[in-house]
Amino acid sequence: MIKSWMVIGGVTFVVALAANFITPSDRRWFKSLQRPRWLTFEAAIPLIWTVIFICGAWSAYIVWEKNPSTTETWLRMGLYLLLEIATIAYTPVMFRLRSLKIGTIIGAIGFIIAVILTLAVLPVSGWAALLLVPYLLWSPIGTYTTQAMTKLNPQDK
């Protein structure tokens, strides 16, 4: 029998793969952009997001195991999926449109979804809500960083 953690982990992994659909010219565009001097942690960003995605998947697993197959749980799973899609959309959409402003907007939308999700899972499990805190802390940093890059690269708004 397939376990819930396998399904949640598999969906998380498959959706995360969508971020890899960027072209070499998209990468060159992003690498050519000016960055704030304080952005010294850029190399750690993939690791940070990996931890955040693991925490999100673990949070979803906890919520699912509390009340599997109820309508409310399915709605919460939909919110988890929506949050991951919004988060993953940041890179390919921003790169394809070559718009830091769009990246900032997507980042802000992700944060809003994360707040709604955290409030939705809090009554089910404090631990599940706590596992979403890394997203709530990091997302504004990423969004602010993109906004700061917009000011340094006005041609790429």
Short mmCIF file of all heavy atoms in Angstrom, two decimals, residues 50-110:
data_model
loop_
_atom_site.label_atom_id
_atom_site.label_comp_id
_atom_site.label_asym_id
_atom_site.label_seq_id
_atom_site.Cartn_x
_atom_site.Cartn_y
_atom_site.Cartn_z
N THR A 50 15.28 24.01 -0.13
CA THR A 50 15.13 22.56 0.06
C THR A 50 14.61 22.27 1.46
O THR A 50 13.68 21.48 1.64
CB THR A 50 16.46 21.84 -0.20
OG1 THR A 50 16.87 22.08 -1.55
CG2 THR A 50 16.35 20.35 0.06
N VAL A 51 15.19 22.91 2.46
CA VAL A 51 14.74 22.73 3.84
C VAL A 51 13.29 23.19 3.99
O VAL A 51 12.47 22.51 4.63
CB VAL A 51 15.68 23.48 4.83
CG1 VAL A 51 15.09 23.50 6.23
CG2 VAL A 51 17.06 22.84 4.83
N ILE A 52 12.96 24.32 3.39
CA ILE A 52 11.59 24.85 3.47
C ILE A 52 10.60 23.87 2.84
O ILE A 52 9.52 23.62 3.39
CB ILE A 52 11.51 26.25 2.83
CG1 ILE A 52 12.24 27.25 3.72
CG2 ILE A 52 10.05 26.66 2.60
CD1 ILE A 52 12.45 28.61 3.09
N PHE A 53 10.95 23.30 1.69
CA PHE A 53 10.05 22.34 1.04
C PHE A 53 9.90 21.07 1.86
O PHE A 53 8.80 20.50 1.93
CB PHE A 53 10.52 22.02 -0.38
CG PHE A 53 10.04 23.01 -1.39
CD1 PHE A 53 10.91 23.95 -1.91
CD2 PHE A 53 8.73 23.03 -1.81
CE1 PHE A 53 10.47 24.88 -2.84
CE2 PHE A 53 8.28 23.95 -2.73
CZ PHE A 53 9.15 24.88 -3.25
N ILE A 54 10.96 20.61 2.48
CA ILE A 54 10.87 19.44 3.36
C ILE A 54 9.95 19.74 4.53
O ILE A 54 9.09 18.93 4.89
CB ILE A 54 12.27 18.99 3.82
CG1 ILE A 54 13.05 18.40 2.64
CG2 ILE A 54 12.17 17.98 4.98
CD1 ILE A 54 14.52 18.18 2.91
N CYS A 55 10.12 20.91 5.13
CA CYS A 55 9.24 21.30 6.24
C CYS A 55 7.78 21.38 5.79
O CYS A 55 6.88 20.94 6.52
CB CYS A 55 9.68 22.65 6.83
SG CYS A 55 11.21 22.59 7.77
N GLY A 56 7.55 21.93 4.61
CA GLY A 56 6.18 22.03 4.10
C GLY A 56 5.56 20.66 3.85
O GLY A 56 4.39 20.42 4.19
N ALA A 57 6.34 19.75 3.27
CA ALA A 57 5.84 18.40 3.02
C ALA A 57 5.56 17.68 4.34
O ALA A 57 4.55 16.98 4.48
CB ALA A 57 6.84 17.62 2.18
N TRP A 58 6.43 17.86 5.30
CA TRP A 58 6.24 17.24 6.62
C TRP A 58 4.99 17.81 7.28
O TRP A 58 4.20 17.08 7.88
CB TRP A 58 7.48 17.48 7.46
CG TRP A 58 7.55 16.77 8.78
CD1 TRP A 58 6.66 15.87 9.29
CD2 TRP A 58 8.57 16.89 9.75
NE1 TRP A 58 7.08 15.43 10.52
CE2 TRP A 58 8.25 16.05 10.83
CE3 TRP A 58 9.74 17.65 9.82
CZ2 TRP A 58 9.04 15.94 11.96
CZ3 TRP A 58 10.53 17.54 10.95
CH2 TRP A 58 10.18 16.70 12.00
N SER A 59 4.79 19.10 7.16
CA SER A 59 3.59 19.75 7.68
C SER A 59 2.34 19.15 7.04
O SER A 59 1.36 18.82 7.73
CB SER A 59 3.66 21.26 7.43
OG SER A 59 2.45 21.88 7.78
N ALA A 60 2.36 18.99 5.72
CA ALA A 60 1.21 18.41 5.01
C ALA A 60 0.95 16.99 5.48
O ALA A 60 -0.20 16.58 5.68
CB ALA A 60 1.47 18.44 3.50
N TYR A 61 2.01 16.23 5.69
CA TYR A 61 1.88 14.85 6.18
C TYR A 61 1.19 14.82 7.54
O TYR A 61 0.27 14.02 7.77
CB TYR A 61 3.26 14.19 6.25
CG TYR A 61 3.27 12.88 7.00
CD1 TYR A 61 2.73 11.73 6.41
CD2 TYR A 61 3.78 12.80 8.29
CE1 TYR A 61 2.71 10.54 7.11
CE2 TYR A 61 3.76 11.60 8.98
CZ TYR A 61 3.23 10.48 8.39
OH TYR A 61 3.20 9.28 9.07
N ILE A 62 1.60 15.70 8.43
CA ILE A 62 0.99 15.75 9.77
C ILE A 62 -0.50 16.06 9.66
O ILE A 62 -1.33 15.41 10.29
CB ILE A 62 1.70 16.79 10.66
CG1 ILE A 62 3.12 16.33 11.01
CG2 ILE A 62 0.89 17.07 11.93
CD1 ILE A 62 3.98 17.40 11.67
N VAL A 63 -0.83 17.05 8.84
CA VAL A 63 -2.24 17.44 8.67
C VAL A 63 -3.04 16.28 8.08
O VAL A 63 -4.14 15.98 8.53
CB VAL A 63 -2.35 18.71 7.79
CG1 VAL A 63 -3.79 18.98 7.39
CG2 VAL A 63 -1.77 19.91 8.54
N TRP A 64 -2.49 15.62 7.07
CA TRP A 64 -3.20 14.51 6.44
C TRP A 64 -3.44 13.38 7.45
O TRP A 64 -4.53 12.82 7.52
CB TRP A 64 -2.42 13.98 5.24
CG TRP A 64 -3.16 12.84 4.60
CD1 TRP A 64 -2.93 11.50 4.78
CD2 TRP A 64 -4.27 12.94 3.71
NE1 TRP A 64 -3.83 10.78 4.06
CE2 TRP A 64 -4.66 11.64 3.38
CE3 TRP A 64 -4.95 14.02 3.15
CZ2 TRP A 64 -5.72 11.36 2.52
CZ3 TRP A 64 -6.01 13.75 2.29
CH2 TRP A 64 -6.38 12.44 1.99
N GLU A 65 -2.43 13.05 8.22
CA GLU A 65 -2.55 11.94 9.17
C GLU A 65 -3.53 12.23 10.32
O GLU A 65 -4.10 11.32 10.88
CB GLU A 65 -1.17 11.57 9.74
CG GLU A 65 -0.27 10.91 8.72
CD GLU A 65 -0.80 9.57 8.22
OE1 GLU A 65 -1.24 8.74 9.04
OE2 GLU A 65 -0.77 9.35 6.99
N LYS A 66 -3.74 13.49 10.62
CA LYS A 66 -4.71 13.85 11.68
C LYS A 66 -6.14 13.51 11.27
O LYS A 66 -6.92 13.05 12.07
CB LYS A 66 -4.61 15.34 12.04
CG LYS A 66 -3.34 15.73 12.75
CD LYS A 66 -3.43 15.39 14.19
CE LYS A 66 -2.19 15.90 14.91
NZ LYS A 66 -2.25 15.66 16.33
N ASN A 67 -6.51 13.84 10.02
CA ASN A 67 -7.87 13.62 9.51
C ASN A 67 -7.83 13.25 8.04
O ASN A 67 -8.22 14.05 7.20
CB ASN A 67 -8.72 14.89 9.68
CG ASN A 67 -9.16 15.11 11.10
OD1 ASN A 67 -9.59 14.19 11.77
ND2 ASN A 67 -9.05 16.34 11.55
N PRO A 68 -7.39 12.05 7.71
CA PRO A 68 -7.28 11.71 6.29
C PRO A 68 -8.65 11.67 5.60
O PRO A 68 -9.65 11.29 6.20
CB PRO A 68 -6.63 10.32 6.30
CG PRO A 68 -6.82 9.79 7.67
CD PRO A 68 -6.99 10.97 8.59
N SER A 69 -8.64 12.12 4.37
CA SER A 69 -9.79 12.02 3.48
C SER A 69 -11.02 12.84 3.86
O SER A 69 -12.09 12.61 3.32
CB SER A 69 -10.20 10.56 3.28
OG SER A 69 -9.15 9.86 2.66
N THR A 70 -10.90 13.80 4.76
CA THR A 70 -12.04 14.68 5.02
C THR A 70 -12.00 15.84 4.03
O THR A 70 -10.95 16.17 3.46
CB THR A 70 -12.02 15.24 6.46
OG1 THR A 70 -10.89 16.11 6.59
CG2 THR A 70 -11.97 14.14 7.50
N THR A 71 -13.14 16.46 3.82
CA THR A 71 -13.21 17.60 2.90
C THR A 71 -12.28 18.70 3.34
O THR A 71 -11.57 19.29 2.51
CB THR A 71 -14.66 18.13 2.83
OG1 THR A 71 -15.52 17.06 2.41
CG2 THR A 71 -14.77 19.29 1.87
N GLU A 72 -12.23 18.98 4.64
CA GLU A 72 -11.36 20.05 5.15
C GLU A 72 -9.89 19.72 4.90
O GLU A 72 -9.11 20.60 4.54
CB GLU A 72 -11.59 20.27 6.65
CG GLU A 72 -12.95 20.80 7.01
CD GLU A 72 -14.03 19.71 7.10
OE1 GLU A 72 -13.68 18.50 7.09
OE2 GLU A 72 -15.21 20.07 7.18
N THR A 73 -9.53 18.47 5.07
CA THR A 73 -8.14 18.07 4.84
C THR A 73 -7.79 18.20 3.36
O THR A 73 -6.71 18.68 3.01
CB THR A 73 -7.89 16.63 5.33
OG1 THR A 73 -8.16 16.59 6.74
CG2 THR A 73 -6.45 16.21 5.09
N TRP A 74 -8.69 17.80 2.48
CA TRP A 74 -8.44 17.95 1.05
C TRP A 74 -8.28 19.42 0.68
O TRP A 74 -7.43 19.76 -0.15
CB TRP A 74 -9.56 17.31 0.21
CG TRP A 74 -9.39 15.83 0.08
CD1 TRP A 74 -10.13 14.86 0.69
CD2 TRP A 74 -8.40 15.14 -0.69
NE1 TRP A 74 -9.66 13.61 0.34
CE2 TRP A 74 -8.60 13.76 -0.51
CE3 TRP A 74 -7.35 15.55 -1.51
CZ2 TRP A 74 -7.80 12.80 -1.12
CZ3 TRP A 74 -6.57 14.60 -2.12
CH2 TRP A 74 -6.79 13.24 -1.93
N LEU A 75 -9.08 20.29 1.28
CA LEU A 75 -8.94 21.73 1.02
C LEU A 75 -7.59 22.23 1.49
O LEU A 75 -6.93 23.03 0.80
CB LEU A 75 -10.08 22.52 1.68
CG LEU A 75 -11.47 22.31 1.05
CD1 LEU A 75 -12.54 22.98 1.92
CD2 LEU A 75 -11.50 22.84 -0.36
N ARG A 76 -7.17 21.76 2.65
CA ARG A 76 -5.84 22.15 3.14
C ARG A 76 -4.74 21.64 2.23
O ARG A 76 -3.77 22.34 1.95
CB ARG A 76 -5.64 21.66 4.57
CG ARG A 76 -6.48 22.43 5.58
CD ARG A 76 -6.25 21.95 7.01
NE ARG A 76 -7.06 22.69 7.93
CZ ARG A 76 -8.19 22.23 8.48
NH1 ARG A 76 -8.62 21.01 8.19
NH2 ARG A 76 -8.88 22.98 9.32
N MET A 77 -4.89 20.40 1.73
CA MET A 77 -3.89 19.86 0.79
C MET A 77 -3.86 20.71 -0.48
O MET A 77 -2.79 20.93 -1.06
CB MET A 77 -4.20 18.39 0.44
CG MET A 77 -4.03 17.41 1.59
SD MET A 77 -2.38 17.37 2.30
CE MET A 77 -2.72 17.93 3.96
N GLY A 78 -5.02 21.19 -0.90
CA GLY A 78 -5.07 22.09 -2.05
C GLY A 78 -4.30 23.38 -1.79
O GLY A 78 -3.61 23.89 -2.69
N LEU A 79 -4.37 23.89 -0.56
CA LEU A 79 -3.60 25.08 -0.20
C LEU A 79 -2.09 24.81 -0.21
O LEU A 79 -1.31 25.64 -0.67
CB LEU A 79 -4.02 25.62 1.16
CG LEU A 79 -5.25 26.50 1.20
CD1 LEU A 79 -5.64 26.83 2.65
CD2 LEU A 79 -5.02 27.78 0.42
N TYR A 80 -1.71 23.62 0.30
CA TYR A 80 -0.29 23.26 0.24
C TYR A 80 0.18 23.22 -1.22
O TYR A 80 1.24 23.75 -1.55
CB TYR A 80 -0.05 21.87 0.87
CG TYR A 80 0.02 21.84 2.37
CD1 TYR A 80 -1.04 21.36 3.12
CD2 TYR A 80 1.17 22.26 3.04
CE1 TYR A 80 -0.97 21.30 4.51
CE2 TYR A 80 1.26 22.21 4.42
CZ TYR A 80 0.18 21.72 5.15
OH TYR A 80 0.27 21.67 6.52
N LEU A 81 -0.62 22.60 -2.08
CA LEU A 81 -0.26 22.50 -3.49
C LEU A 81 -0.21 23.89 -4.14
O LEU A 81 0.73 24.19 -4.88
CB LEU A 81 -1.25 21.60 -4.24
CG LEU A 81 -0.98 21.38 -5.72
CD1 LEU A 81 0.40 20.75 -5.94
CD2 LEU A 81 -2.07 20.51 -6.32
N LEU A 82 -1.18 24.73 -3.85
CA LEU A 82 -1.19 26.09 -4.39
C LEU A 82 0.05 26.86 -3.95
O LEU A 82 0.68 27.56 -4.75
CB LEU A 82 -2.46 26.81 -3.95
CG LEU A 82 -2.63 28.25 -4.45
CD1 LEU A 82 -2.71 28.28 -5.97
CD2 LEU A 82 -3.87 28.88 -3.82
N LEU A 83 0.43 26.71 -2.69
CA LEU A 83 1.63 27.39 -2.19
C LEU A 83 2.87 26.90 -2.92
O LEU A 83 3.71 27.70 -3.33
CB LEU A 83 1.79 27.16 -0.68
CG LEU A 83 3.05 27.76 -0.05
CD1 LEU A 83 3.11 29.27 -0.25
CD2 LEU A 83 3.11 27.39 1.43
N GLU A 84 2.97 25.60 -3.12
CA GLU A 84 4.16 25.08 -3.82
C GLU A 84 4.18 25.56 -5.26
O GLU A 84 5.24 25.94 -5.78
CB GLU A 84 4.21 23.56 -3.76
CG GLU A 84 5.49 23.06 -4.40
CD GLU A 84 5.72 21.58 -4.29
OE1 GLU A 84 4.81 20.84 -3.90
OE2 GLU A 84 6.85 21.16 -4.61
N ILE A 85 3.03 25.55 -5.93
CA ILE A 85 2.99 26.01 -7.32
C ILE A 85 3.39 27.48 -7.40
O ILE A 85 4.18 27.87 -8.27
CB ILE A 85 1.60 25.75 -7.93
CG1 ILE A 85 1.39 24.25 -8.13
CG2 ILE A 85 1.43 26.51 -9.25
CD1 ILE A 85 -0.02 23.86 -8.49
N ALA A 86 2.86 28.30 -6.50
CA ALA A 86 3.22 29.73 -6.50
C ALA A 86 4.72 29.90 -6.26
O ALA A 86 5.38 30.71 -6.91
CB ALA A 86 2.41 30.48 -5.46
N THR A 87 5.26 29.12 -5.34
CA THR A 87 6.68 29.23 -5.01
C THR A 87 7.54 28.79 -6.19
O THR A 87 8.51 29.46 -6.55
CB THR A 87 7.00 28.37 -3.77
OG1 THR A 87 6.16 28.80 -2.69
CG2 THR A 87 8.45 28.50 -3.36
N ILE A 88 7.19 27.68 -6.78
CA ILE A 88 7.96 27.15 -7.91
C ILE A 88 7.82 28.05 -9.13
O ILE A 88 8.75 28.20 -9.92
CB ILE A 88 7.51 25.71 -8.22
CG1 ILE A 88 7.94 24.78 -7.10
CG2 ILE A 88 8.05 25.23 -9.56
CD1 ILE A 88 9.44 24.74 -6.83
N ALA A 89 6.67 28.70 -9.30
CA ALA A 89 6.44 29.57 -10.46
C ALA A 89 7.37 30.78 -10.48
O ALA A 89 7.67 31.32 -11.54
CB ALA A 89 4.99 30.03 -10.49
N TYR A 90 7.85 31.19 -9.32
CA TYR A 90 8.70 32.38 -9.20
C TYR A 90 9.82 32.38 -10.24
O TYR A 90 9.96 33.32 -11.02
CB TYR A 90 9.26 32.45 -7.77
CG TYR A 90 10.35 33.47 -7.59
CD1 TYR A 90 10.06 34.78 -7.25
CD2 TYR A 90 11.69 33.11 -7.73
CE1 TYR A 90 11.06 35.72 -7.07
CE2 TYR A 90 12.70 34.04 -7.55
CZ TYR A 90 12.38 35.34 -7.23
OH TYR A 90 13.38 36.26 -7.06
N THR A 91 10.63 31.34 -10.25
CA THR A 91 11.82 31.33 -11.11
C THR A 91 11.46 31.26 -12.60
O THR A 91 11.87 32.14 -13.36
CB THR A 91 12.78 30.20 -10.71
OG1 THR A 91 13.19 30.42 -9.36
CG2 THR A 91 14.00 30.16 -11.61
N PRO A 92 10.73 30.24 -13.06
CA PRO A 92 10.50 30.18 -14.50
C PRO A 92 9.68 31.35 -15.05
O PRO A 92 9.97 31.84 -16.15
CB PRO A 92 9.78 28.85 -14.72
CG PRO A 92 9.31 28.41 -13.40
CD PRO A 92 10.17 29.09 -12.37
N VAL A 93 8.70 31.83 -14.29
CA VAL A 93 7.89 32.94 -14.78
C VAL A 93 8.71 34.23 -14.82
O VAL A 93 8.71 34.95 -15.81
CB VAL A 93 6.59 33.11 -13.95
CG1 VAL A 93 5.85 34.38 -14.33
CG2 VAL A 93 5.69 31.89 -14.11
N MET A 94 9.42 34.51 -13.74
CA MET A 94 10.24 35.72 -13.70
C MET A 94 11.32 35.67 -14.78
O MET A 94 11.56 36.65 -15.49
CB MET A 94 10.88 35.90 -12.33
CG MET A 94 11.75 37.16 -12.22
SD MET A 94 12.49 37.39 -10.60
CE MET A 94 13.65 36.04 -10.53
N PHE A 95 11.97 34.53 -14.93
CA PHE A 95 13.03 34.39 -15.93
C PHE A 95 12.47 34.54 -17.33
O PHE A 95 13.04 35.22 -18.18
CB PHE A 95 13.73 33.04 -15.80
CG PHE A 95 14.75 32.96 -14.71
CD1 PHE A 95 14.65 33.69 -13.52
CD2 PHE A 95 15.84 32.13 -14.84
CE1 PHE A 95 15.60 33.59 -12.53
CE2 PHE A 95 16.81 32.01 -13.85
CZ PHE A 95 16.68 32.75 -12.69
N ARG A 96 11.35 33.86 -17.61
CA ARG A 96 10.78 33.89 -18.96
C ARG A 96 10.33 35.30 -19.33
O ARG A 96 10.54 35.76 -20.44
CB ARG A 96 9.61 32.91 -19.05
CG ARG A 96 8.90 32.90 -20.38
CD ARG A 96 9.70 32.38 -21.52
NE ARG A 96 10.17 31.03 -21.24
CZ ARG A 96 11.20 30.47 -21.83
NH1 ARG A 96 11.87 31.12 -22.73
NH2 ARG A 96 11.56 29.26 -21.53
N LEU A 97 9.69 36.00 -18.37
CA LEU A 97 9.22 37.36 -18.64
C LEU A 97 10.31 38.40 -18.45
O LEU A 97 10.12 39.56 -18.79
CB LEU A 97 8.02 37.68 -17.74
CG LEU A 97 6.78 36.82 -17.95
CD1 LEU A 97 5.70 37.17 -16.93
CD2 LEU A 97 6.26 36.95 -19.37
N ARG A 98 11.45 37.95 -17.88
CA ARG A 98 12.55 38.85 -17.58
C ARG A 98 12.05 40.08 -16.82
O ARG A 98 12.32 41.22 -17.18
CB ARG A 98 13.29 39.24 -18.85
CG ARG A 98 14.11 38.10 -19.41
CD ARG A 98 14.71 38.43 -20.75
NE ARG A 98 15.74 37.53 -21.23
CZ ARG A 98 15.64 36.24 -21.46
NH1 ARG A 98 14.53 35.62 -21.21
NH2 ARG A 98 16.65 35.54 -21.94
N SER A 99 11.34 39.78 -15.74
CA SER A 99 10.72 40.85 -14.97
C SER A 99 10.90 40.59 -13.47
O SER A 99 10.27 39.69 -12.90
CB SER A 99 9.22 40.93 -15.30
OG SER A 99 8.59 41.84 -14.43
N LEU A 100 11.74 41.40 -12.85
CA LEU A 100 11.92 41.31 -11.40
C LEU A 100 10.65 41.75 -10.67
O LEU A 100 10.36 41.25 -9.58
CB LEU A 100 13.11 42.16 -10.98
CG LEU A 100 14.47 41.65 -11.49
CD1 LEU A 100 15.54 42.72 -11.32
CD2 LEU A 100 14.86 40.37 -10.79
N LYS A 101 9.90 42.66 -11.27
CA LYS A 101 8.65 43.10 -10.66
C LYS A 101 7.67 41.93 -10.55
O LYS A 101 7.04 41.75 -9.50
CB LYS A 101 8.03 44.23 -11.48
CG LYS A 101 6.77 44.80 -10.86
CD LYS A 101 6.26 45.97 -11.67
CE LYS A 101 5.02 46.56 -11.01
NZ LYS A 101 4.51 47.70 -11.78
N ILE A 102 7.56 41.13 -11.59
CA ILE A 102 6.70 39.94 -11.55
C ILE A 102 7.20 38.98 -10.46
O ILE A 102 6.41 38.40 -9.72
CB ILE A 102 6.67 39.23 -12.93
CG1 ILE A 102 5.97 40.11 -13.95
CG2 ILE A 102 6.00 37.86 -12.83
CD1 ILE A 102 4.50 40.36 -13.71
N GLY A 103 8.52 38.83 -10.35
CA GLY A 103 9.09 37.98 -9.30
C GLY A 103 8.70 38.47 -7.92
O GLY A 103 8.36 37.68 -7.03
N THR A 104 8.74 39.79 -7.73
CA THR A 104 8.35 40.38 -6.44
C THR A 104 6.87 40.09 -6.15
O THR A 104 6.51 39.73 -5.03
CB THR A 104 8.61 41.89 -6.44
OG1 THR A 104 10.01 42.12 -6.71
CG2 THR A 104 8.25 42.52 -5.11
N ILE A 105 6.04 40.22 -7.16
CA ILE A 105 4.60 39.98 -6.99
C ILE A 105 4.35 38.51 -6.66
O ILE A 105 3.58 38.20 -5.73
CB ILE A 105 3.82 40.41 -8.25
CG1 ILE A 105 3.85 41.93 -8.39
CG2 ILE A 105 2.38 39.89 -8.22
CD1 ILE A 105 3.40 42.46 -9.74
N ILE A 106 5.00 37.60 -7.37
CA ILE A 106 4.83 36.18 -7.09
C ILE A 106 5.31 35.86 -5.68
O ILE A 106 4.67 35.09 -4.96
CB ILE A 106 5.56 35.31 -8.14
CG1 ILE A 106 4.89 35.48 -9.51
CG2 ILE A 106 5.57 33.85 -7.72
CD1 ILE A 106 5.66 34.84 -10.65
N GLY A 107 6.42 36.44 -5.26
CA GLY A 107 6.92 36.24 -3.91
C GLY A 107 5.92 36.69 -2.86
O GLY A 107 5.68 36.01 -1.86
N ALA A 108 5.30 37.84 -3.09
CA ALA A 108 4.31 38.36 -2.15
C ALA A 108 3.07 37.47 -2.11
O ALA A 108 2.51 37.21 -1.03
CB ALA A 108 3.93 39.79 -2.53
N ILE A 109 2.65 36.99 -3.27
CA ILE A 109 1.50 36.08 -3.32
C ILE A 109 1.80 34.80 -2.54
O ILE A 109 0.95 34.30 -1.78
CB ILE A 109 1.12 35.77 -4.79
CG1 ILE A 109 0.50 37.01 -5.43
CG2 ILE A 109 0.17 34.58 -4.88
CD1 ILE A 109 0.32 36.91 -6.94
N GLY A 110 2.99 34.26 -2.70
CA GLY A 110 3.39 33.07 -1.95
C GLY A 110 3.31 33.30 -0.45
O GLY A 110 2.83 32.45 0.29
#
